[in-house]
Amino acid sequence: MKVSIITASYNYAQYLEEAIGSVISQAYGDWELIIVDDGSSDNSLEIINSFCDKDSRIKLFQHEGAENKGLKETLQLGLKNSSGDWVCFLESDDVLKPQYLERKIEAIEKNPEAGLIFNKVEFLCESDNAQKKAQIFAKRQDELGKFAPSLNMFKDFAVFNPVLTFSCVMVKKDLIDCANFDVKNEKFLDWWLWIHLA
């Protein structure tokens, strides 16, 4: 079962090596990493290309004219160029633990009716407001621990977004291909997508 990992990249050169390295280190090997650069002005392309040269599973795409088009169009370009059965998202400043894909595949095999899988995350941050963000994540993690999905997932997701970040999601490719990306505010793109999928 092939997994397409899609990473939107925009001026995050300082994190890319670790993010890409975390994909290469996966115990599960049937993956492709689709990196879409959204018009970076730092040395992101140089770093991405160095990995593409070493591993044919890593592929770089850009918008026409190397324009900056935003997250919505960047993810859609990644999806258009992906060939996996499932799609996994990895934000360019995040990392995956080595067993991440392997454990998700195990969950899929045990629950073949599932179309979307997500998990808790570990918060890592170097910024000045790291403590505040860590507290917000801790509260959300606690809420997620109490989250018990009902048969009406649309209602569940409309009230509360239990998915903490794009980087903890795997979704069936045929489902995400049919999703409506036409969100009015890109800040809520992930929640918008999960509601539509529900």
Side-chain angles (χ1 to χ4, degrees), residues 26-28 88-89 95-105 117-120 166-170:
Q26 289 300 299
Y28 185 81
C88 169
F89 297 101
V95 293
L96 303 177
K97 289 187 176 181
Q99 306 300 320
Y100 180 82
L101 292 179
E102 186 175 71
R103 293 187 67 191
K104 284 274 171 77
I105 294 298
I117 301 172
F118 60 96
N119 52 270
K120 290 185 176 183
F166 265 119
S167 294
C168 71
V169 169
M170 256 178 66

Side-chain angles (χ1 to χ4, degrees), residues 7-196:
T7 296
S9 170
Y10 178 67
N11 287 342
Y12 270 25
Q14 70 268 35
Y15 302 113
L16 277 171
E17 193 168 330
E18 194 174 1
I20 297 169
S22 77
V23 175
I24 294 168
S25 299
Q26 289 300 299
Y28 185 81
D30 192 5
W31 54 261
E32 65 178 354
L33 176 59
I34 306 292
I35 305 173
V36 182
D37 188 78
D38 191 22
S40 292
S41 56
D42 61 7
N43 65 327
S44 292
L45 291 174
E46 182 183 324
I47 293 167
I48 297 164
N49 277 316
S50 72
F51 281 99
C52 291
D53 291 342
K54 296 175 198 164
D55 194 323
S56 61
R57 296 174 296 177
I58 303 171
K59 299 159 189 154
L60 170 64
F61 296 91
Q62 293 177 272
H63 298 293
E64 192 173 333
E67 282 186 71
N68 173 265
K69 294 201 170 189
L71 183 61
K72 178 171 65 172
E73 290 193 42
T74 299
L75 291 180
Q76 287 179 299
L77 182 57
L79 286 166
K80 179 182 171 188
N81 287 285
S82 64
S83 62
D85 307 295
W86 283 76
V87 171
C88 169
F89 297 101
L90 175 63
E91 295 182 49
S92 51
D93 60 342
D94 289 345
V95 293
L96 303 177
K97 289 187 176 181
Q99 306 300 320
Y100 180 82
L101 292 179
E102 186 175 71
R103 293 187 67 191
K104 284 274 171 77
I105 294 298
E106 286 171 5
I108 291 164
E109 288 171 348
K110 288 177 185 171
N111 303 279
E113 73 285 357
L116 175 93
I117 301 172
F118 60 96
N119 52 270
K120 290 185 176 183
V121 299
E122 187 176 337
F123 181 75
L124 306 168
C125 188
E126 302 167 355
S127 67
D128 295 336
N129 61 350
Q131 189 173 2
K132 183 180 177 184
K133 285 186 176 180
Q135 288 171 346
I136 292 167
F137 261 62
K139 183 180 177 194
R140 295 282 310 281
Q141 298 272 38
D142 185 52
E143 291 168 350
L144 179 56
K146 297 170 187 169
F147 179 68
S150 68
L151 291 176
N152 187 348
M153 290 296 291
F154 176 77
K155 181 181 175 188
D156 291 336
F157 275 85
V159 173
F160 166 65
N161 180 12
V163 183
L164 292 165
T165 173
F166 265 119
S167 294
C168 71
V169 169
M170 256 178 66
V171 59
K172 276 187 180 174
K173 174 79 161 67
D174 58 350
L175 289 179
I176 196 75
D177 278 345
C178 297
N180 180 339
F181 277 76
D182 194 23
V183 65
K184 300 291 184 239
N185 185 339
E186 265 195 21
K187 183 174 149 183
F188 299 109
L189 176 61
D190 56 342
W191 194 1
W192 172 269
L193 288 173
W194 315 147
I195 289 171
H196 278 266

